[in-house]
C-alpha cells in the first residue's frame, strides 16, 4: 500500500508559513521590508488588536502590475532573484518569495496596488491562499496590503498568541528595529485608531528622538570610525543616562538589525567603570562590513550573524565607543572661563590680536625636575582651543611680546589626600586622580613614540636581568617595541638580558620587577589577542611608571600634569578604563 501523500499547496504553505510568520510582528516585518524594497519613502503601519485582526502596510513605492498583484502570492514568486547566483548577493535579506505566499495561506489578505504610470490600480482579495476576487480599483500609487484575522485557519497558532500588550510590544520592537536603521524614510504607526509614532525622514539622532523622546538628543554621544574592515556610525548613551535594564541596545550590520553578544560586550566594555553597577548603556550603532566578511551559513531569517574577523571587529568597536565617551564628554564638561569673565583690559591701539601659540613638551615628566628642554608644537585642535582660553589673559597683557612658546598653565591646584588634584573649572570643581591621570599621559606618549625619537637615559652601569628561558624568548620578541620606548638592551645568553639604557623616567632599581610585570601583563592581556602588542606593552609600562597615589606633588607638577592630561585624547578615562576626572558641579558645591 502506498502511504506517501503529496500535501496540497495550501497545507504546505500553512506549515511553511509558521517559519516566516509566527506572530503578527512577523507579518509586520515582512510587509515593511517589502515596502522598502519597492522604494517607498513613506510607509504607514496600521494595526488593530495588536495585529490579531489587522496588520496593514501602506506605501508609496513602485506598486505592482495587475498580474504581479496575483503572482506575488505564489510560493517562490519574487522579483528579486533571477538565478541561483543572486542568492549569494542578497544572503542577508531572508528567504525569497516566501513571505506573501505564507501570509496568504494563514490570513485573509487584501492587496490594493497601483504603479505610478498606470491610471487605475488593482485590488486582489485572498483567503487561505485562494484568490477570491480581483478587480480594477482607484487607489493611490503604491501598495496597501491588509492582513486580516491572522491564523484564522490555524487555531493552534492563534491560541498560542500572547495577550495584546505583549504582541503589540513585539510589533513595536520590529517597528523600532526597522525605523532606526531606515531613518531616511518616513514612517507612522497607528494602533486601534491611535497614532503612536509619526516619524519624519531625518538623521539617526532625529529618529532616536522621534522614537524615545526629544530628551534623548542630549543623552547621546556620536560614535564614528572607519577602518579597512568596518565603518561604524551611531550613538551611545552618556554614562549618567544608563539604565537599570538592558533595553535600548541596537546593532545593525549592513542595514539589518542583528544580535551579537560579542559586539554588545565590546560596547559595554568600552564604558569600563564609568557605568554604575547593574546599569547598562543604550546604543544605536550601525556597522558596514564587506559582505564577504560575514559568514553566510546562518539561518537567513535569524538575527544572528558571524563575522570572519570577530576579534578585530570587537577591538575596533570598543575603541570607537571609548573614544566617543572620552572625547566628547570632556569637551562639554571642560568649558573654561570665557574671556569676558577675566575682565580684560582693552587692547592697546594698533594691536593686532595674534593667535596664541601653544607649545608643550610631551616628554616632560612633572615628577622629575629635569627633562623639560625639548618642546614640540602641539596641533591638537581641541586642546589648543582649551589651552588658548586659559592662556589668553597672559598674552593680552603683553601684546607687544613676540608669541613665545608658553608653558600651559592650569589654574591653581590643590593636592587632596596625596591622591587627588583639585582644580577649579568654570563647570565646577574637578577632582583628578593623579595616578590615573599620569597613566593616561604616559600611555599616550608611549603609544606615539616610534624608533629614534624617544629620549632614553644611559645607565651608568649596564644592568643584568634574569628570566626563565620562555620569558627570555618572549622578551626577545618584544625588544623592537621596547627600543621604541627608550630601552636599550641585548640578550647575553638564553636567560639573561643586559640593559644599557631606559626611558628617562625610570628608576633602575625597579628594572627587574618592571620586566617581570610587563611579561606577566603581556601574557594575560586580551589586547594581545587583537594584535595590539604595542597597546598592551604601553599600558603595562604606563601603569608601572605612573606616579603612585600618596606621592606628594608640587604646584608646578600638578599644573603640568593637568595640562598634559587635557592634551590627551580620552582624558576622562585611564587606559585601563577607570574614571580619572570627577566634576563637582557648582550647585553641588553650594550644598
Ligand atoms: P520577496 O520579498 O522575497 O521577493 P515576498 O513574498 O515578500 O518575496 O514578495 C513577493 C514579491 O511581491 C516581491 O518580490 C515584489 O515583487 C512584490 N511585492 C511585495 N510587496 C510589494 C510592495 N509593497 N510593493 C511592490 N511590490 C511588492
Ligand atoms: Mg519580502
Amino acid at each position: 500500500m502506498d502511504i506517501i501523500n503529496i500535501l496540497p499547496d495550501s497545507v504546505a504553505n500553512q506549515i511553511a508559513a509558521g517559519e516566516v510568520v509566527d506572530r503578527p510582528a512577523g507579518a509586520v516585518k515582512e510587509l515593511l521590508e517589502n515596502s522598502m524594497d519597492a522604494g517607498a519613502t513613506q510607509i504607514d503601519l496600521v494595526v488593530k488588536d495588536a495585529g490579531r485582526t489587522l496588520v496593514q502596510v501602506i506605501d508609496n513605492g513602485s506598486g505592482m502590475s495587475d498580474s504581479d498583484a496575483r503572482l506575488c502570492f505564489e510560493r517562490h514568486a519574487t522579483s528579486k532573484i533571477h538565478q541561483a547566483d543572486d542568492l549569494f548577493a542578497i544572503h542577508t535579506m531572508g528567504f525569497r518569495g516566501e513571505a506573501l505566499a505564507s501570509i496568504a495561506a494563514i490570513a485573509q489578505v487584501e492587496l490594493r496596488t497601483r504603479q505610478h504610470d498606470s491610471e487605475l490600480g488593482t485590488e486582489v482579495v485572498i483567503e487561505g491562499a485562494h484568490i477570491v476576487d480581483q478587480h480594477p480599483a482607484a487607489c493611490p500609487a503604491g501598495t496597501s496590503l491588509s492582513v486580516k484575522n491572522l491564523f484564522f485557519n490555524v487555531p493552534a497558532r492563534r491560541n498560542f498568541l500572547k495577550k495584546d500588550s505583549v504582541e503589540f510590544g513585539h510589533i513595536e520592537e520590529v517597528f523600532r528595529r526597522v525605523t532606526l536603521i531606515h531613518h531616511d524614510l518616513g514612517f507612522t504607526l497607528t494602533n486601534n485608531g491611535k497614532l503612536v509614532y509619526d516619524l519624519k525622514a531625518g538623521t539617526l539622532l532625529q529618529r532616536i528622538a522621534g522614537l524615545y523622546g526629544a530628551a534623548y538628543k542630549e543623552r547621546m554621544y556620536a560614535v564614528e570610525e572607519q577602518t579597512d574592515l568596518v565603518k561604524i556610525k551611531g550613538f551611545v548613551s552618556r554614562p549618567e543616562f544608563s539604565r537599570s535594564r538592558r533595553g535600548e541596545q541596537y546593532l545593525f550590520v549592513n542595514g539589518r538589525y542583528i544580535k551579537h553578544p560579542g559586539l554588545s560586550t565590546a560596547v559595554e566594555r568600552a564604558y569600563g567603570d564609568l557605568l554604575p553597577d547593574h546599569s547598562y548603556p543604550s546604543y544605536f550603532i550601525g556597522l558596514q562590513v564587506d559582505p564577504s566578511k560575514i559568514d553566510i551559513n546562518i539561518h537567513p531569517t535569524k538575527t544572528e550573524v558571524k563575522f570572519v574577523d570577530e576579534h578585530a571587529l570587537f577591538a575596533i568597536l570598543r575603541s570607537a565607543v571609548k573614544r566617543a565617551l572620552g572625547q566628547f564628554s570632556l569637551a562639554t564638561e571642560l568649558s573654561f572661563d570665557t574671556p569676558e569673565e577675566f575682565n580684560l583690559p582693552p587692547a592697546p591701539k594698533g594691536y593686532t590680536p595674534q593667535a596664541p601659540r601653544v607649545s608643550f613638551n610631551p616628554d616632560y615628566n612633572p615628577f622629575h625636575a629635569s627633562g623639560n628642554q625639548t618642546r614640540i608644537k602641539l596641533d591638537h585642535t581641541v586642546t589648543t582651543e582649551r589651552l588658548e582660553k586659559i592662556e589668553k589673559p597672559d598674552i593680552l597683557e603683553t601684546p607687544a611680546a613676540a608669541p613665545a612658546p608658553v608653558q600651559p598653565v592650569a589654574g591653581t591646584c590643590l593636592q587632596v589626600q596625596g591622591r587627588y588634584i583639585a582644580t577649579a573649572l568654570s563647570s565646577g570643581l574637578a577632582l583628578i586622580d593623579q595616578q590615573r591621570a599620569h597613566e593616561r599621559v604616559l600611555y599616550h606618549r608611549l603609544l606615539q613614540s616610534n624608533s629614534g625619537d624617544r629620549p632614553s637615559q644611559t645607565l651608568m652601569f649596564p644592568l643584568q636581568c634574569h628570566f626563565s628561558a620562555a620569558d627570555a624568548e618572549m622578551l626577545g620578541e618584544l625588544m623592537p617595541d621596547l627600543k621604541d620606548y627608550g630601552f636599550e638592551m641585548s640578550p647575553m645568553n638564553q636567560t639573561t638580558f643586559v640593559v644599557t639604557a631606559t626611558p628617562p623616567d625610570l628608576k633602575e632599581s625597579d628594572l627587574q620587577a618592571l620586566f617581570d610585570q610587563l611579561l606577566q601583563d603581556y601574557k594575560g592581556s586580551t589586547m594581545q589577542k587583537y594584535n595590539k602588542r604595542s597597546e598592551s606593552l604601553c599600558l603595562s609600562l604606563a601603569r608601572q611608571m605612573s606616579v603612585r597615589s600618596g606621592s606628594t606633588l608640587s604646584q608646578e607638577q600638578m599644573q603640568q600634569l593637568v595640562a598634559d592630561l587635557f592634551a590627551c585624547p580620552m582624558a576622562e578615562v585611564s587606559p585601563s578604563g577607570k574614571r580619572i576626572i570627577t566634576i563637582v558641579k557648582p550647585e553641588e558645591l553650594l550644598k
Side-chain angles (χ1 to χ4, degrees), residues 32-284:
L32 291 177
E33 278 175 0
N34 280 348
S35 293
M36 294 186 295
D37 289 344
T41 55
Q42 177 65 40
I43 302 174
D44 301 305
L45 169 62
V46 178
V47 300
K48 280 201 183 118
D49 305 312
R52 223 183 282 271
T53 51
L54 177 70
V55 170
Q56 183 182 16
V57 171
I58 305 158
D59 70 50
N60 63 354
S62 62
M64 284 179 265
S65 69
D66 289 7
S67 50
D68 278 356
R70 285 191 307 276
L71 211 58
C72 68
F73 295 105
E74 297 290 328
R75 180 155 301 273
H76 310 308
T78 175
S79 53
K80 297 162 196 172
I81 302 180
H82 296 283
Q83 52 199 26
D85 275 356
D86 293 347
L87 264 176
F88 293 96
I90 47 151
H91 50 76
T92 57
M93 294 300 268
F95 289 127
R96 274 301 164 206
E98 300 258 342
L100 290 189
S102 300
I103 291 169
I106 50 173
Q108 294 150 347
V109 176
E110 279 173 32
L111 167 66
R112 241 171 293 141
T113 186
R114 176 165 77 82
Q115 293 180 307
H116 289 249
D117 56 2
S118 317
E119 273 173 26
L120 211 56
T122 183
E123 177 167 337
V124 179
V125 180
I126 296 203
E127 205 159 294
H130 298 290
I131 297 185
V132 294
D133 190 19
Q134 179 173 21
H135 54 262
C139 56
T143 301
S144 157
L145 203 138
S146 305
V147 178
K148 295 180 175 170
N149 304 319
L150 195 65
F151 303 129
F152 80 103
N153 52 357
V154 197
R157 285 243 173 234
R158 196 171 60 236
N159 296 336
F160 193 70
L161 292 180
K162 303 273 175 13
K163 59 180 196 265
D164 278 8
S165 58
V166 174
E167 293 301 334
F168 187 69
H170 286 293
I171 289 176
E172 268 192 295
E173 180 60 18
V174 165
F175 185 77
R176 280 190 292 260
R177 291 175 185 178
V178 167
T179 56
L180 275 168
I181 190 68
H182 296 283
H183 51 80
D184 52 334
L185 308 177
F187 292 90
T188 64
L189 168 54
T190 304
N191 181 34
N192 292 334
K194 194 173 146 259
L195 183 65
V196 185
Y197 294 105
D198 184 0
L199 307 173
K200 306 274 182 265
T203 63
L204 173 57
L205 194 58
Q206 288 168 332
R207 180 56 45 92
I208 293 170
L211 285 167
Y212 299 100
Y216 267 68
K217 279 195 176 173
E218 315 301 320
R219 298 185 183 179
M220 297 283 147
Y221 290 136
V223 181
E224 218 168 327
E225 177 66 275
Q226 185 157 11
T227 69
D228 289 347
L229 183 65
V230 62
K231 201 171 144 197
I232 301 173
K233 247 184 131 131
F235 289 89
V236 297
S237 62
R238 300 166 58 140
E240 60 269 39
F241 293 109
S242 54
R243 298 162 55 98
S244 57
R245 283 186 305 123
R246 268 197 185 77
E248 293 136 14
Q249 303 191 330
Y250 293 89
L251 287 176
F252 301 90
V253 169
N254 299 351
R256 307 268 302 182
Y257 171 84
I258 59 148
K259 280 189 191 133
H260 196 288
L263 292 184
S264 301
T265 308
V267 178
E268 286 182 14
R269 290 259 174 89
Y271 281 75
D273 67 359
L274 290 177
L275 284 180
D277 282 351
H278 307 297
S279 69
Y280 303 93
S282 305
Y283 52 83
F284 310 88

Side-chain angles (χ1 to χ4, degrees), residues 221 238 240 328-338 341-342 386 389-390 423-432 562 566 572 579 581-590:
Y221 290 136
R238 300 166 58 140
E240 60 269 39
F328 296 116
S329 57
L330 240 202
T332 52
E333 287 289 348
L334 300 184
S335 50
F336 287 101
D337 297 336
T338 50
E341 293 172 53
F342 286 119
R386 279 188 211 137
K389 286 183 184 154
I390 314 177
T423 190
L425 305 173
S426 65
S427 54
L429 177 70
L431 287 173
I432 298 169
V562 171
F566 291 164
E572 200 173 56
R579 181 195 279 272
I581 306 175
T582 303
I583 306 241
V584 186
K585 299 253 161 62
E587 311 86 85
E588 290 161 332
L589 282 174
L590 278 177

